[in-house]
Amino acid sequence: MKKVLILALAVIMVVSLGACGQKPADTGANTSTTTSTDTNTGEGGTGKIGISMPTQSLQRWNQDGANMKSAFEAAGYEVDLQFGGDNDIATQVSQIENMISGGCSILVIAAIDGESLTTVLAGAKEKNIPVIAYDRLIMNSDAVTYYATFDNTLVGQRQGEYIEEALGLKSGAGPFNIELITGDPGDNNVNFFFGGAMSVLKPYIDSGKLVVPSGQTEQLAVATEGWNTEKAQARFENIISSVGYGPNGKKLDAVMASNDSTAQGVTNALVNAGYTKDNFPALTGQDCDTASMKNMLAGLQGMSVFKDTRTLANQVVSMADAIVKGGEPEVNDTTTYDNGTGVIPAFLCEPVVCTLDNYKELLIDSGYYTEADLQ
Ligand code: BGC
């Protein structure tokens, strides 16, 4: 009797172990004829992942693309990684079309323009290819299955709070002069970055403790096409001359810039106008780009928001892996991100404020950069 029991237990164990080591279940998601280079026979993933990034001209998307590529490959997947020229919407659309027809079983997309992918993604939906919106939400498409990003509102709030603290606004100091700059109007994140920052700054603008001498306070008026550094610089050069800012002119106390590529344009314009580290306004940013970190070390940018692209990349790999294997990806936000077709379940990673006080620990000790990268 005892022997029979042991045998029965052994059979159960073998069967359940077999189930754990099973090849990914068919999710019905991939109706195409994907050829995998996967040689794993155990828990590894199978299939080809299409990764569409917006541009190679900004540092972060190169990092995001490279991090995801290597993490997906390490998990056993084949990867088709494409960059949409220099923020060229038509290029991104045709690359996604090729991914759909080329047998990708999941698409991971950071949209150039969140509103421009509805038609192409209808093709993904038709083939049951799941789509993960990466960093930026894709609007008006019911093909979007999940969204992985950082807490974008928190990014903006942290920028607003940095200025609030740098100027001592909470203790009633002021009035101070401030200017604002944000990113591309087609990037849905801008609503959250700008909205988050203004949730902190607007009450001070309303009470007169912050004054915006250019008069440009609306999101669209302070937007920057393509998040482009030269365009940001040109707009600030105009503001400097029209308002009369300068080390010997009107005092500029703070600039809320939504990210580093725009902050760099602001810094260039201010330096050209004669500003130095000794009279530099409190300037925010986001991404911890090397160029901005060098500015920070030189006293020409006060803060950046660190969004560890390794964390986001790994999160997306595990989400995609769960989908391929017929499981449920982990999400931590099911209320915030409605793309016009309904709320998209999201995983939000945490952004962290980076200043001279903690950059070594955040960026160097964690292996994100070497000291030499920032010299
Ligand atoms: C990203 C930022 C980035 C910006 C410009 C945004 O969607 O969230 O990290 O700085 O695009 O590339």
Side-chain angles (χ1 to χ4, degrees):
M1 184 62 199
K2 211 172 166 191
K3 265 190 189 160
V4 174
L5 208 70
I6 289 171
L7 196 70
L9 272 176
V11 169
I12 290 168
M13 276 177 72
V14 167
V15 168
S16 55
L17 275 177
C20 292
Q22 225 166 262
K23 277 297 217 186
D26 182 5
T27 56
N30 181 9
T31 54
S32 53
T33 51
T34 294
T35 2
S36 170
T37 53
D38 176 27
T39 48
N40 290 357
T41 47
E43 300 274 341
T46 54
K48 184 159 65 171
I49 313 289
I51 302 178
S52 170
M53 295 285 108
T55 176
Q56 259 179 315
S57 69
L58 294 191
Q59 186 191 328
R60 76 154 290 187
W61 304 110
N62 292 288
Q63 280 170 209
D64 286 277
N67 288 341
M68 266 192 289
K69 187 171 189 299
S70 56
F72 269 119
E73 286 175 348
Y77 293 92
E78 189 187 345
V79 171
D80 179 4
L81 168 63
Q82 303 289 338
F83 294 87
D86 185 5
N87 286 311
D88 187 65
I89 297 172
T91 304
Q92 182 167 51
V93 168
S94 95
Q95 288 170 341
I96 293 171
E97 265 162 14
N98 291 338
M99 288 172 183
I100 294 169
S101 62
C104 287
S105 43
I106 293 199
L107 302 180
V108 179
I109 302 172
I112 295 168
D113 181 321
E115 307 273 351
S116 301
L117 301 178
T118 310
T119 310
V120 68
L121 290 185
K125 173 113 181 165
E126 218 165 86
K127 286 194 165 187
N128 289 320
I129 300 173
V131 176
I132 300 179
Y134 185 86
D135 194 89
R136 302 171 172 175
L137 186 58
I138 300 167
M139 305 303 289
N140 302 324
S141 167
D142 62 357
V144 180
T145 338
Y146 291 99
Y147 180 34
T149 189
F150 284 84
D151 186 332
N152 296 310
T153 304
L154 197 59
V155 169
Q157 276 168 4
R158 294 290 183 251
Q159 293 165 336
E161 287 161 5
Y162 175 82
I163 289 173
E164 182 182 51
E165 196 179 326
L167 301 183
L169 290 166
K170 263 195 184 158
S171 16
F176 296 104
N177 293 329
I178 186 172
E179 295 293 341
L180 312 166
I181 183 161
T182 193
D184 192 282
D187 179 350
N188 186 60
N189 283 353
V190 166
N191 301 319
F192 294 91
F193 298 150
F194 191 72
M198 290 308 267
S199 70
V200 179
L201 300 177
K202 181 135 186 322
Y204 295 110
I205 296 176
D206 291 345
S207 71
K209 288 292 183 185
L210 284 178
V211 179
V212 187
S214 71
Q216 298 170 11
T217 53
E218 294 307 311
Q219 186 172 317
L220 212 54
V222 304
T224 312
E225 195 191 327
W227 293 91
N228 181 281
T229 299
E230 288 73 31
K231 290 193 169 128
Q233 179 172 341
R235 180 170 158 254
F236 263 74
E237 282 168 353
N238 274 332
I239 291 177
I240 289 167
S241 63
S242 62
V243 173
Y245 286 124
N248 303 312
K250 198 173 183 71
K251 191 156 187 284
L252 178 59
D253 300 292
V255 178
M256 193 294 294
S258 286
N259 87 331
D260 283 351
S261 62
T262 52
Q264 287 152 31
V266 173
T267 294
N268 295 344
L270 292 173
V271 168
N272 289 347
Y275 284 89
T276 66
K277 66 177 174 37
D278 300 322
N279 51 21
F280 218 72
L283 171 63
T284 63
Q286 164 184 197
D287 292 335
C288 293
D289 280 2
T290 51
S292 278
M293 292 313 299
K294 288 177 189 173
N295 283 345
M296 195 187 286
L297 291 168
L300 305 176
Q301 181 173 327
M303 68 88 86
S304 188
V305 177
F306 181 47
K307 304 196 304 186
D308 193 329
T309 53
R310 297 168 299 190
T311 312
L312 185 58
N314 288 335
Q315 189 59 38
V316 167
V317 172
S318 65
M319 281 171 119
D321 198 48
I323 297 172
V324 169
K325 292 175 178 166
E328 286 279 315
E330 184 190 3
V331 293
N332 59 13
D333 183 307
T334 51
T335 54
T336 310
Y337 291 98
D338 188 328
N339 82 339
T341 67
V343 173
I344 307 298
F347 190 93
L348 309 187
C349 304
E350 207 194 327
V352 184
V353 169
C354 176
T355 63
L356 283 182
D357 292 340
N358 66 349
Y359 83 95
K360 278 202 173 144
E361 179 194 334
L362 282 183
L363 305 177
I364 312 287
D365 298 352
S366 78
Y368 201 73
Y369 292 138
T370 62
E371 291 273 11
D373 290 331
L374 306 185
Q375 266 147 29

